[in-house]
PDB file of all heavy atoms in Angstrom:
ATOM      1  N   VAL A 241      53.882  79.372 184.290  1.00 83.00           N
ATOM      2  CA  VAL A 241      53.829  79.851 185.674  1.00 83.00           C
ATOM      3  C   VAL A 241      54.917  79.114 186.446  1.00 83.00           C
ATOM      4  O   VAL A 241      55.164  77.931 186.187  1.00 83.00           O
ATOM      5  CB  VAL A 241      52.440  79.555 186.300  1.00 83.00           C
ATOM      6  CG1 VAL A 241      52.400  79.996 187.754  1.00 83.00           C
ATOM      7  CG2 VAL A 241      51.335  80.226 185.501  1.00 83.00           C
ATOM      8  N   PRO A 242      55.611  79.780 187.389  1.00 87.00           N
ATOM      9  CA  PRO A 242      56.610  79.066 188.202  1.00 87.00           C
ATOM     10  C   PRO A 242      56.022  77.793 188.798  1.00 87.00           C
ATOM     11  O   PRO A 242      54.882  77.788 189.286  1.00 87.00           O
ATOM     12  CB  PRO A 242      56.975  80.092 189.283  1.00 87.00           C
ATOM     13  CG  PRO A 242      56.751  81.423 188.627  1.00 87.00           C
ATOM     14  CD  PRO A 242      55.550  81.216 187.733  1.00 87.00           C
ATOM     15  N   SER A 243      56.789  76.706 188.753  1.00 87.00           N
ATOM     16  CA  SER A 243      56.287  75.395 189.129  1.00 87.00           C
ATOM     17  C   SER A 243      55.679  75.369 190.531  1.00 87.00           C
ATOM     18  O   SER A 243      54.592  74.820 190.742  1.00 87.00           O
ATOM     19  CB  SER A 243      57.408  74.365 189.026  1.00 87.00           C
ATOM     20  OG  SER A 243      56.950  73.090 189.385  1.00 87.00           O
ATOM     21  N   ALA A 244      56.357  75.949 191.511  1.00 90.00           N
ATOM     22  CA  ALA A 244      55.860  75.922 192.885  1.00 90.00           C
ATOM     23  C   ALA A 244      54.527  76.647 193.000  1.00 90.00           C
ATOM     24  O   ALA A 244      53.602  76.189 193.692  1.00 90.00           O
ATOM     25  CB  ALA A 244      56.888  76.542 193.830  1.00 90.00           C
ATOM     26  N   GLU A 245      54.429  77.785 192.320  1.00 90.00           N
ATOM     27  CA  GLU A 245      53.186  78.560 192.352  1.00 90.00           C
ATOM     28  C   GLU A 245      52.045  77.787 191.692  1.00 90.00           C
ATOM     29  O   GLU A 245      50.915  77.763 192.193  1.00 90.00           O
ATOM     30  CB  GLU A 245      53.405  79.888 191.627  1.00 90.00           C
ATOM     31  CG  GLU A 245      52.186  80.784 191.578  1.00 90.00           C
ATOM     32  CD  GLU A 245      52.444  82.068 190.804  1.00 90.00           C
ATOM     33  OE1 GLU A 245      53.619  82.488 190.716  1.00 90.00           O
ATOM     34  OE2 GLU A 245      51.463  82.642 190.272  1.00 90.00           O
ATOM     35  N   LEU A 246      52.338  77.148 190.571  1.00 90.00           N
ATOM     36  CA  LEU A 246      51.315  76.394 189.852  1.00 90.00           C
ATOM     37  C   LEU A 246      50.833  75.203 190.682  1.00 90.00           C
ATOM     38  O   LEU A 246      49.639  74.928 190.771  1.00 90.00           O
ATOM     39  CB  LEU A 246      51.867  75.922 188.514  1.00 90.00           C
ATOM     40  CG  LEU A 246      50.913  75.136 187.618  1.00 90.00           C
ATOM     41  CD1 LEU A 246      49.664  75.941 187.297  1.00 90.00           C
ATOM     42  CD2 LEU A 246      51.621  74.723 186.329  1.00 90.00           C
ATOM     43  N   LYS A 247      51.777  74.483 191.299  1.00 91.00           N
ATOM     44  CA  LYS A 247      51.399  73.334 192.122  1.00 91.00           C
ATOM     45  C   LYS A 247      50.526  73.766 193.299  1.00 91.00           C
ATOM     46  O   LYS A 247      49.534  73.103 193.633  1.00 91.00           O
ATOM     47  CB  LYS A 247      52.651  72.618 192.622  1.00 91.00           C
ATOM     48  CG  LYS A 247      53.411  71.879 191.545  1.00 91.00           C
ATOM     49  CD  LYS A 247      54.662  71.240 192.118  1.00 91.00           C
ATOM     50  CE  LYS A 247      55.458  70.525 191.049  1.00 91.00           C
ATOM     51  NZ  LYS A 247      56.715  69.929 191.584  1.00 91.00           N
ATOM     52  N   ALA A 248      50.884  74.875 193.928  1.00 92.00           N
ATOM     53  CA  ALA A 248      50.091  75.367 195.056  1.00 92.00           C
ATOM     54  C   ALA A 248      48.683  75.732 194.606  1.00 92.00           C
ATOM     55  O   ALA A 248      47.694  75.461 195.307  1.00 92.00           O
ATOM     56  CB  ALA A 248      50.789  76.575 195.693  1.00 92.00           C
ATOM     57  N   HIS A 249      48.589  76.330 193.411  1.00 91.00           N
ATOM     58  CA  HIS A 249      47.289  76.721 192.874  1.00 91.00           C
ATOM     59  C   HIS A 249      46.415  75.493 192.629  1.00 91.00           C
ATOM     60  O   HIS A 249      45.230  75.470 192.991  1.00 91.00           O
ATOM     61  CB  HIS A 249      47.480  77.502 191.572  1.00 91.00           C
ATOM     62  CG  HIS A 249      46.211  77.881 190.893  1.00 91.00           C
ATOM     63  ND1 HIS A 249      45.395  78.911 191.318  1.00 91.00           N
ATOM     64  CD2 HIS A 249      45.586  77.340 189.800  1.00 91.00           C
ATOM     65  CE1 HIS A 249      44.352  79.005 190.526  1.00 91.00           C
ATOM     66  NE2 HIS A 249      44.435  78.058 189.602  1.00 91.00           N
ATOM     67  N   ARG A 251      46.712  72.441 193.961  1.00 94.00           N
ATOM     68  CA  ARG A 251      46.364  71.809 195.239  1.00 94.00           C
ATOM     69  C   ARG A 251      45.194  72.528 195.903  1.00 94.00           C
ATOM     70  O   ARG A 251      44.241  71.896 196.374  1.00 94.00           O
ATOM     71  CB  ARG A 251      47.568  71.829 196.183  1.00 94.00           C
ATOM     72  CG  ARG A 251      48.677  70.851 195.848  1.00 94.00           C
ATOM     73  CD  ARG A 251      49.667  70.773 197.008  1.00 94.00           C
ATOM     74  NE  ARG A 251      50.846  69.994 196.667  1.00 94.00           N
ATOM     75  CZ  ARG A 251      52.000  70.502 196.278  1.00 94.00           C
ATOM     76  NH1 ARG A 251      52.140  71.826 196.149  1.00 94.00           N
ATOM     77  NH2 ARG A 251      53.024  69.721 195.997  1.00 94.00           N
ATOM     78  N   ASP A 271      53.833  72.242 182.900  1.00 79.00           N
ATOM     79  CA  ASP A 271      55.077  71.573 183.315  1.00 79.00           C
ATOM     80  C   ASP A 271      55.166  71.465 184.834  1.00 79.00           C
ATOM     81  O   ASP A 271      54.910  72.423 185.566  1.00 79.00           O
ATOM     82  CB  ASP A 271      56.296  72.334 182.790  1.00 79.00           C
ATOM     83  CG  ASP A 271      56.433  72.221 181.275  1.00 79.00           C
ATOM     84  OD1 ASP A 271      55.733  71.369 180.699  1.00 79.00           O
ATOM     85  OD2 ASP A 271      57.222  72.987 180.689  1.00 79.00           O
ATOM     86  N   GLY A 272      55.556  70.295 185.293  1.00 79.00           N
ATOM     87  CA  GLY A 272      55.746  70.066 186.712  1.00 79.00           C
ATOM     88  C   GLY A 272      54.531  69.526 187.430  1.00 79.00           C
ATOM     89  O   GLY A 272      54.611  69.171 188.611  1.00 79.00           O
ATOM     90  N   LEU A 273      53.391  69.452 186.745  1.00 89.00           N
ATOM     91  CA  LEU A 273      52.165  69.021 187.422  1.00 89.00           C
ATOM     92  C   LEU A 273      51.995  67.511 187.465  1.00 89.00           C
ATOM     93  O   LEU A 273      51.246  66.993 188.297  1.00 89.00           O
ATOM     94  CB  LEU A 273      50.934  69.652 186.749  1.00 89.00           C
ATOM     95  CG  LEU A 273      50.708  71.145 186.987  1.00 89.00           C
ATOM     96  CD1 LEU A 273      49.446  71.604 186.273  1.00 89.00           C
ATOM     97  CD2 LEU A 273      50.604  71.444 188.481  1.00 89.00           C
ATOM     98  N   GLU A 275      53.714  65.150 188.564  1.00 88.00           N
ATOM     99  CA  GLU A 275      54.057  64.504 189.828  1.00 88.00           C
ATOM    100  C   GLU A 275      52.971  64.682 190.891  1.00 88.00           C
ATOM    101  O   GLU A 275      52.975  63.973 191.912  1.00 88.00           O
ATOM    102  CB  GLU A 275      55.377  65.042 190.358  1.00 88.00           C
ATOM    103  CG  GLU A 275      55.375  66.541 190.619  1.00 88.00           C
ATOM    104  CD  GLU A 275      56.780  67.099 190.777  1.00 88.00           C
ATOM    105  OE1 GLU A 275      57.542  67.072 189.793  1.00 88.00           O
ATOM    106  OE2 GLU A 275      57.115  67.535 191.894  1.00 88.00           O
ATOM    107  N   LEU A 276      52.015  65.605 190.660  1.00 92.00           N
ATOM    108  CA  LEU A 276      50.927  65.808 191.615  1.00 92.00           C
ATOM    109  C   LEU A 276      49.831  64.755 191.487  1.00 92.00           C
ATOM    110  O   LEU A 276      49.001  64.616 192.387  1.00 92.00           O
ATOM    111  CB  LEU A 276      50.296  67.193 191.428  1.00 92.00           C
ATOM    112  CG  LEU A 276      51.062  68.420 191.912  1.00 92.00           C
ATOM    113  CD1 LEU A 276      50.209  69.669 191.728  1.00 92.00           C
ATOM    114  CD2 LEU A 276      51.462  68.270 193.366  1.00 92.00           C
TER     115      LEU A 276
END
Side-chain angles (χ1 to χ4, degrees):
V241 178
S243 180
E245 180 182 335
L246 181 58
K247 289 178 181 178
H249 177 76
R251 286 191 188 98
D271 290 347
L273 287 181
E275 60 196 66
L276 286 184

